[in-house]
C-alpha cells in the first residue's frame, strides 16, 4: 500500500530524529516528513562536541548527519528553532511556539535529554557550563581559551572527555566526584581505576566523596566551589556533568510519559495510537537483557530509528542489536558492549599498564559485557559472542595466551540476569 499521502512529524531534530528521516527515505517512504527542532542547526552528531569540537579539530559540516541539500531536495522539511509545545491527540496535530498547528499521521518523539542542572547557590554565575549541544560546546570552547583552572562536577563520561580536551588546551583541571570512584554508574572498577591513572598522568586532579555546597563568585564570575566541609576549590570555570534528564514533559498530557522517560516497545511504539518515541527520551526493552532501560547512546538511538522506520513503511524488522557505547580520552579508546552492570564476575584480560586490555563480564557463566581499552579486535569478537549468548570460562578468558574463541563455550540456556 502506498504511503505517499502520509505525514510523519518528528519532534526533535537531533541524532535520533535526523537518522529516522534518513532511514524512512532509504526504506522507500514517499510521504511528507517534517522535523521540528528547538535548535537552529540541522541534525548533527553530539559525540564530537566533547572531543574533536572542543579540540578545534573538526567543523560544523563534519558534524551534520546530512548535507543541507538533502533536506532542500525533498528529504525532509526542517522547522528549526521551533519548539513543539503541545499535542492535540484527538485532532492528530502538534502545536508549535507561535501557534502553528501541523497535522500528522505518525508522530515521533525524539526529544532527547537535557543536562541535569545544579540548584545550589551560585549555579547561575557566568562560567558555570553544561554540555549538551553546540551552543554549550561553543561556550566551553571559548572559555577554555582563557581559563586558568576548570573544576568538573561529576566524574562521568562527559566530564572525563572534557577533562582530556581541557588538558589538550593546557588548562588545569580538577574533577569533583560525590562517589568513591569515577564512572560509578557506568563502568567497572578496573576501567575506572585505569582512567583515573590515565588522567592523573596527564595532570588531572580528582577528589572523591565530595559534596559541593555552592559556587563562589565575584562580580558575577566564578572564583571557586565551596564544598560541604567548608573548603574552597579554586577555579574560574565549572563544567557540570551530573547526568541528563529525559525531555518527556511534552508527552505527559498524552499519559505516556514517566519521570524515567517515555516507555516504548521494541519497535518504538508508545501506548498511544500513532505515537512513537526514539532515542535518549525513551525507556526501552533490550533483546539480550530483561528489564527496561533508558540508554543514552548513538547506537541505541540509531537502532530505534531504524526499527521505527521499518515499522512505518511495513518493512521486515532488522535483528536486534546489542547495546554498545564508546568514549575517547587522550589516546585511549574505550568501547563497551553489553551491560557491565549485569555482571557477577569481572574478568581482566591483558595488562592495563600496557594501555590495551579488556574487562569481560560474566553473568551466571554467560558473557554479558566487555569493556575494551584500545582493543577493537576483542570488542568486535565480544560483541558477537555476547549477542549469541555465549558461555565463557573465566580462567581461560583471563589468560591472554588462550585464544578468545577457546575461552568461549557454547550457548547459555538462560538469559543474563537483570541489571540492578
Ligand atoms: C557531549 C556529548 C558527548 C556524547 N558522546 C557520546 C559517545 O561518545 N558515544 C555515544 O554513543 N553517545 C554519546 N553521546 C550521546 C548521544 O549523543 C545521544 O545518545 C544522542 O544524541 C541521542 O539522540 P536523541 O535524538 O535522542 O537526542 P538529541 O540528539 O539530544 O536530540 C534531541 C533534540 O530534540 C530537541 N527538542 C527537545 N524537545 C523539543 C520540542 N518540544 N520541540 C522541538 N525540539 C525539541 C532538542 O533541542 C534536541 O535538539 C554524547 C552526548 C553528548 C551531549
Amino acid at each position: 500500500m502506498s504511503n505517499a499521502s502520509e505525514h510523519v512529524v518528528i519532534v526533535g531534530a537531533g541524532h535520533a530524529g535526523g537518522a529516522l528521516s534518513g532511514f524512512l527515505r532509504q526504506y522507500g517512504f514517499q510521504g511528507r516528513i517534517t522535523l521540528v527542532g528547538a535548535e537552529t542547526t540541522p541534525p548533527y552528531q553530539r559525540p564530537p562536541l566533547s572531543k574533536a569540537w572542543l579540540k578545534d579539530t573538526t567543523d560544523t559540516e563534519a558534524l551534520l548527519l546530512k548535507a543541507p541539500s538533502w533536506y532542500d531536495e525533498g528529504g525532509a522539511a526542517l522547522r528549526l528553532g521551533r519548539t513543539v509545545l503541545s499535542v492535540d491527540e484527538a485532532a492528530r496535530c502538534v502545536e508549535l511556539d507561535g501557534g502553528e498547528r501541523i497535522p500528522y499521521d505518525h508522530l515521533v518523539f525524539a526529544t532527547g535529554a537535557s543536562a541535569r542542572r545544579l540548584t545550589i547557590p551560585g549555579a547561575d554565575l557566568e562560567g558555570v557550563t553544561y554540555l549538551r549541544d553546540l551552543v554549550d560546546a561553543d561556550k566551553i570552547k571559548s572559555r577554555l581559551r582563557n581559563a586558568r583552572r576548570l573544576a568538573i562536577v561529576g566524574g562521568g563520561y562527559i566530564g572525563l572527555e572534557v577533562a582530556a580536551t581541557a588538558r589538550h588546551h593546557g588548562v588545569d583541571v580538577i574533577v569533583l566526584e560525590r562517589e568513591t570512584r569515577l564512572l560509578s554508574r557506568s563502568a567497572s572498577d578496573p576501567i575506572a581505576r585505569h582512567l583515573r591513572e590515565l588522567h592523573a598522568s596527564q595532570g588531572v586532579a580528582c577528589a572523591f566523596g565530595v559534596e559541593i555546597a555552592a559556587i563562589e563568585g565575584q562580580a558575577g564570575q566564578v572564583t571557586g566551589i565551596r564544598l560541604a566541609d567548608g573548603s574552597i576549590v579554586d577555579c574560574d570555570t565549572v563544567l557540570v556533568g551530573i547526568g541528563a534528564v529525559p525531555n518527556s514533559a511534552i508527552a505527559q498530557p498524552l499519559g505516556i510519559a514517566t519521570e524515567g522517560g517515555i516507555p516504548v516497545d521494541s519497535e518504538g511504539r508508545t501506548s498511544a495510537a500513532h505515537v512513537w518515541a526514539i532515542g535518549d527520551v525513551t525507556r526501552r526493552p533490550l533483546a539480550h537483557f530483561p528489564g527496561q532501560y533508558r540508554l543514552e547512546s548513538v547506537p541505541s538511538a540509531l537502532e530505534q530509528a531504524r526499527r521505527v522506520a521499518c515499522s512505518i513503511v511495513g518493512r521486515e524488522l532488522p535483528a536486534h542489536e546489542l547495546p554498545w557505547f564508546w568514549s575517547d580520552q587522550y589516546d585511549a579508546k574505550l568501547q563497551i558492549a553489553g551491560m557491565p552492570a549485569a555482571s557477577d564476575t569481572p574478568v581482566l584480560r591483558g595488562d592495563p599498564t600496557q594501555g590495551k586490555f579488556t574487562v569481560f563480564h560474566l553473568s551466571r557463566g554467560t558473557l554479558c559485557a566487555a569493556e575494551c581499552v584500545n582493543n577493537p579486535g576483542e570488542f568486535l569478537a565480544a560483541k558477537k559472542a555476547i549477542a549469541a549468548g555465549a558461555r565463557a570460562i573465566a580462567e581461560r578468558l583471563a589468560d591472554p595466551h588462550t585464544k578468545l574463541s577457546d575461552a568461549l563455550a557454547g550457548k547459555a540456556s538462560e538469559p543474563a540476569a537483570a541489571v540492578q
Side-chain angles (χ1 to χ4, degrees), residues 11-17 36-39 44-51 82-85 110-113 131-133 158 161 247 250 278-281 295-299 301 324-328:
V11 185
H15 211 131
V36 187
E39 293 181 72
Y44 62 89
Q45 312 168 57
R46 275 163 226 275
L49 296 185
S50 48
K51 310 170 182 90
R82 305 297 303 276
T83 301
V84 171
L85 296 182
T111 48
L131 180 49
R132 182 69 204 181
D133 59 28
I158 289 195
E161 289 182 354
N247 295 326
I250 177 80
I278 55 177
D280 286 11
V281 74
L295 302 180
E296 290 174 9
S297 80
V298 167
W324 67 276
F325 181 81
W326 79 94
S327 174
D328 298 319

Side-chain angles (χ1 to χ4, degrees), residues 117-403:
R117 301 266 148 178
L118 279 183
T119 53
I120 56 175
D124 53 357
L125 284 166
E126 186 63 37
V128 178
T129 62
Y130 296 83
L131 180 49
R132 182 69 204 181
D133 59 28
L134 253 176
V135 174
D136 296 339
D138 282 340
K139 183 173 173 191
I140 296 167
K141 187 153 67 171
S142 83
R143 286 205 69 96
L144 287 183
R145 287 197 188 106
N146 300 308
R148 185 178 45 79
R149 194 167 199 231
L150 169 70
I152 295 177
V153 180
Y157 287 114
I158 289 195
L160 294 178
E161 289 182 354
V162 174
T165 46
R167 291 303 298 137
H168 170 87
H169 289 289
V171 176
D172 257 10
V173 180
I174 180 163
V175 175
L176 305 172
E177 170 55 58
R178 191 168 56 181
E179 304 298 330
T180 52
R181 68 164 175 89
L182 298 175
L183 299 169
S184 56
R185 283 175 302 138
S186 47
S188 67
D189 273 337
I191 294 293
R193 213 174 310 123
H194 179 72
L195 291 177
R196 165 80 190 89
E197 283 163 15
L198 179 61
H199 280 276
S201 73
Q202 301 292 324
V204 173
C206 287
F208 295 101
V210 293
E211 196 71 50
I212 65 167
I215 316 270
E216 301 283 326
Q218 251 175 19
Q221 295 288 334
V222 169
T223 56
I225 294 184
R226 181 153 41 86
L227 304 182
D229 65 5
S231 59
I232 303 282
V233 175
D234 170 45
C235 63
D236 54 14
T237 301
V238 175
L239 171 82
V240 182
I242 53 172
V245 286
N247 295 326
S248 53
I250 177 80
Q252 221 125 38
L254 278 67
I256 59 170
T258 67
E259 251 182 39
I262 303 176
V264 291
D265 67 13
S266 65
E267 286 173 43
R269 278 178 216 279
T270 70
S271 54
H274 314 287
V275 182
W276 314 74
I278 55 177
D280 286 11
V281 74
T282 61
R283 275 187 82 69
R284 55 170 302 198
L286 291 171
H288 305 89
F289 300 90
Q292 299 284 324
Y293 303 87
R294 196 175 75 74
L295 302 180
E296 290 174 9
S297 80
V298 167
S300 170
L302 294 181
E303 183 193 19
Q304 289 183 298
R306 214 174 273 123
R307 295 181 79 81
V308 167
C310 285
S311 299
I312 288 177
V313 303
R315 182 186 163 113
E316 194 184 336
L317 289 167
H320 284 287
E321 289 172 32
L322 190 76
W324 67 276
F325 181 81
W326 79 94
S327 174
D328 298 319
Q329 297 165 40
Y330 311 106
D331 56 359
K333 181 173 250 335
L334 170 65
Q335 292 169 295
I336 301 182
M339 290 294 202
S343 171
D344 55 40
T345 311
V347 181
L348 176 64
R349 180 179 169 96
D351 180 359
T353 64
Q354 301 301 307
K356 178 180 175 180
F357 65 101
T358 298
V359 182
F360 285 97
H361 293 276
L362 308 184
S363 168
R364 299 186 215 141
T366 299
L367 204 55
C368 65
E371 300 167 298
C372 307
V373 175
N374 294 331
N375 218 348
E378 283 194 355
F379 170 73
L380 286 177
K383 218 169 144 212
K384 273 195 199 148
I386 298 164
R391 295 186 67 78
I393 299 153
E395 295 71 28
R396 286 201 207 157
L397 263 186
D399 176 5
H401 302 297
T402 301
K403 273 187 12 200

Side-chain angles (χ1 to χ4, degrees), residues 71-96:
Y71 303 96
D72 297 341
E73 288 160 12
L78 284 177
R79 309 301 298 271
L80 299 179
R82 305 297 303 276
T83 301
V84 171
L85 296 182
S86 63
V87 178
D88 181 340
E89 222 186 336
R92 273 203 233 160
C93 268
V94 296
E95 188 165 319
L96 273 54

